[in-house]
């Protein structure tokens, strides 16, 4: 019985899973998360993305939105507050929330443009039809993961 599985020995589905896993890891290492020219690191950018999409959130609500544990969310919020891009506030219902500052909204808009330009340059090389298929496949993957 062989102890090392070669690609020829793998089940076709297992080979696809390995390819998918390797591709997702490679994608995470790319400069798409923090391309040259951005001001905000990826974690602060994600905080601002959630707050601009959903409005002010409690730290717990932000953590749920970003799927982060409480200590990681608190660390990201603290970094964002230190940078002056989010602030803590008291909501009308009396809850403590975080919300973007005007400087945060400006930094988010600027960094969104840099990130979009970097991504657009790469995706344009795929061609319109292939880019559309990629978008549809990624949406389907995310939808399936959301159902899990």
């Amino acid at each position: 019985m062989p102890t090392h599985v070669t690609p020829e020995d793998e089940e076709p589905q297992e080979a696809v899973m390995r390819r998918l896993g390797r591709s997702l890891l490679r994608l995470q290492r790319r400069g798409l998360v923090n391309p040259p020219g951005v001001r905000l690191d990826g974690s602060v950018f994600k905080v601002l993305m959630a707050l601009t999409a959903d409005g002010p959130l409690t730290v717990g609500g932000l953590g749920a939105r970003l799927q982060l544990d409480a200590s990681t969310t608190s660390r990201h919020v603290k970094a964002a507050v230190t940078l002056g891009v989010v602030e803590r506030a008291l909501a009308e219902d009396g809850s403590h929330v975080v919300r973007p500052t005007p400087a945060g909204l400006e930094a988010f808009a600027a960094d969104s443009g840099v990130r979009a330009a970097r991504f657009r340059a790469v995706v344009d090389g795929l061609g319109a039809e292939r880019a559309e298929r990629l978008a549809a496949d990624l949406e389907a993957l995310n939808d399936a993961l959301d159902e899990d």
Side-chain angles (χ1 to χ4, degrees):
M1 186 121 179
T3 57
H4 177 70
V5 177
T6 64
E8 299 83 32
D9 298 330
E10 282 185 315
E11 293 290 325
Q13 185 67 14
E14 189 63 29
V16 169
M17 291 299 103
R18 287 183 192 278
R19 286 178 53 215
L20 184 56
R22 280 193 303 269
S23 292
L24 290 172
L25 288 173
R26 285 178 61 203
L27 186 59
Q28 288 176 338
R29 291 191 304 251
R30 303 277 182 226
L32 295 174
V33 175
N34 290 316
V38 298
R39 294 186 272 178
L40 305 169
D41 75 22
S43 61
V44 172
F45 183 81
K46 288 175 188 174
V47 166
L48 283 166
M49 185 185 313
L51 296 175
T52 56
D54 298 333
L57 294 167
T58 64
V59 172
L62 181 60
R65 170 73 162 77
L66 297 175
Q67 297 180 333
L68 298 172
D69 62 51
S71 64
T72 302
T73 305
S74 293
R75 192 170 51 252
H76 291 337
V77 168
K78 183 177 179 182
V81 168
T82 299
L83 289 172
V85 296
V86 303
E87 62 188 3
R88 298 176 189 273
L90 194 59
E92 290 180 14
D93 66 1
S95 62
H96 294 271
V97 296
V98 290
R99 64 183 180 203
T101 63
L105 293 173
E106 188 273 326
F108 178 74
D111 277 15
S112 292
V114 171
R115 284 175 165 84
R118 167 77 170 112
F119 200 69
R120 188 174 295 110
V122 172
V123 173
D124 281 350
L126 296 175
E129 185 177 310
R130 196 165 169 202
E132 176 58 38
R133 279 196 320 265
L134 176 60
D137 289 345
L138 288 172
E139 287 169 353
L141 177 64
N142 274 304
D143 291 347
L145 289 169
D146 286 344
E147 291 174 8
D148 187 33

